[in-house]
Amino acid sequence: MSIDTQKTDRGVGIITINRPEKLNAMDAEHYRGLSDAWAQMRDDTAVRAIVITGAGEKSFSTGADLKTFIGNPPQLSEFWLTQQGMLLNRGLEMWKPVIAAVNGYCLGGGMTLLLATDIRLAVPHATFGLSEVKRGVIAANGGTQRVIEQLPRAIAMEFLLTGDAFDAATAERWGLVNRQVEPAQLMPEAMKIAECIAANAPLAVQAAKELALRAGSMDLNVGLRMEQLYNRMLSATEDAAEGRLAFKEKRPARFNAR
């Protein structure tokens, strides 16, 4: 039972929620481990893209292990410790692209985690849902915020307020996942995407992700100016020079994030 991390020599970090006997539900210890894993991946300059998945064949994550939290509420003073135990879906700023490989149940906190990722693959038997209202609470950690941004309003509200689950075909039709992938190909396909991203100029990739995610809080004129500013900075980097030289020499570029 753990949050496992590994790193490949092609710049990809992998996070695995490893608690399959509990459908990869997370208690406080696992949430702390996941927070540490995100910080590790964020701060490791050799990691340029991240894949997150769940152990086993049944579940990506079913979110919080409610049995371990019932009757044990945190102290009210912790409510204002907003930077403690940061998670991808709880406000951690992660500009490295994150690919979700959904291998089964993606419910509750697992679903809010998915909503905070950038590219999403799912097996055909995957099941999605924000079931919190059926348990007397709400979808936190961005559940009510991101779902209304990422889905048409009427669909998002049905999804959020009924708490009903839906299948991978529906998730694909709604654009919640990029595509369905057979189980045997899930991780290879996720790694293929991650390696493709990791081969690109990392400073440019992170700048592109940041501007895209901040677009919702900027008007078009501000966004255009920010693009000009970022491109002005990037054009002076060693990576930009290497990209131009590699194109001229008709070879793969070798970027070093400088």
Side-chain angles (χ1 to χ4, degrees):
M1 298 187 296
S2 62
I3 303 296
D4 298 337
T5 61
Q6 62 184 107
K7 181 174 64 176
T8 75
D9 58 4
R10 301 187 70 174
V12 178
I14 304 169
I15 299 175
T16 304
I17 303 170
N18 191 355
R19 204 186 183 202
E21 73 285 356
K22 295 291 186 179
L23 297 178
N24 296 321
M26 290 178 283
D27 56 15
E29 179 182 355
H30 284 81
Y31 273 121
R32 285 192 293 270
L34 185 58
S35 176
D36 291 342
W38 287 123
Q40 174 189 334
M41 295 297 176
R42 178 197 61 195
D43 298 341
D44 189 336
T45 56
V47 173
R48 299 182 178 184
I50 302 160
V51 174
I52 183 162
T53 192
E57 300 177 353
K58 293 184 178 180
S59 181
F60 175 70
S61 177
T62 53
D65 185 349
L66 294 180
K67 292 181 181 179
T68 67
F69 289 100
I70 292 175
N72 188 31
Q75 295 294 319
L76 185 58
S77 59
E78 295 182 20
F79 183 77
W80 283 276
L81 300 177
T82 55
Q83 299 301 299
Q84 186 179 70
M86 293 293 281
L87 297 167
L88 186 70
N89 49 331
R90 193 186 287 165
L92 178 73
E93 291 191 332
M94 173 72 77
W95 305 125
K96 298 174 182 179
V98 180
I99 297 96
V102 182
N103 54 311
Y105 293 116
C106 183
L107 305 172
M111 185 70 220
T112 64
L113 170 56
L114 181 79
L115 292 170
T117 63
D118 303 303
I119 298 171
R120 305 153 190 175
L121 305 179
V123 295
H125 66 264
T127 302
F128 303 82
L130 290 173
S131 57
E132 284 85 348
V133 292
K134 293 181 180 290
R135 308 290 181 261
V137 291
I138 63 170
N141 292 335
T144 64
Q145 305 300 299
R146 294 189 179 96
V147 70
I148 203 71
E149 294 177 348
Q150 298 182 24
L151 292 173
R153 185 182 186 279
I155 290 174
M157 295 305 286
E158 178 181 0
F159 172 27
L160 184 66
L161 301 179
T162 65
D164 290 342
F166 54 93
D167 60 19
T170 302
E172 183 179 22
R173 186 173 71 250
W174 286 348
L176 200 60
V177 299
N178 293 67
R179 57 187 172 276
Q180 298 178 67
V181 180
E182 291 302 318
Q185 294 302 313
L186 180 64
M187 282 303 292
E189 186 66 17
M191 291 299 293
K192 179 181 177 181
I193 295 171
E195 289 172 358
C196 177
I197 293 171
N200 291 331
L203 299 178
V205 166
Q206 292 181 64
K209 175 176 174 177
E210 180 178 7
L211 286 178
L213 292 186
R214 293 197 189 282
S217 60
M218 298 186 291
D219 63 37
L220 179 59
N221 287 336
V222 172
L224 292 171
R225 291 296 289 167
M226 290 298 292
E227 287 177 345
Q228 292 172 341
L229 175 61
Y230 274 44
N231 260 330
R232 184 68 178 270
M233 292 190 300
L234 290 168
S235 65
T237 64
E238 293 180 16
D239 280 356
E242 166 63 10
R244 292 189 295 268
L245 184 61
F247 179 77
K248 179 180 179 181
E249 297 177 351
K250 299 181 180 180
R251 60 168 175 80
R254 296 183 291 271
F255 298 115
N256 56 24
R258 291 199 295 268

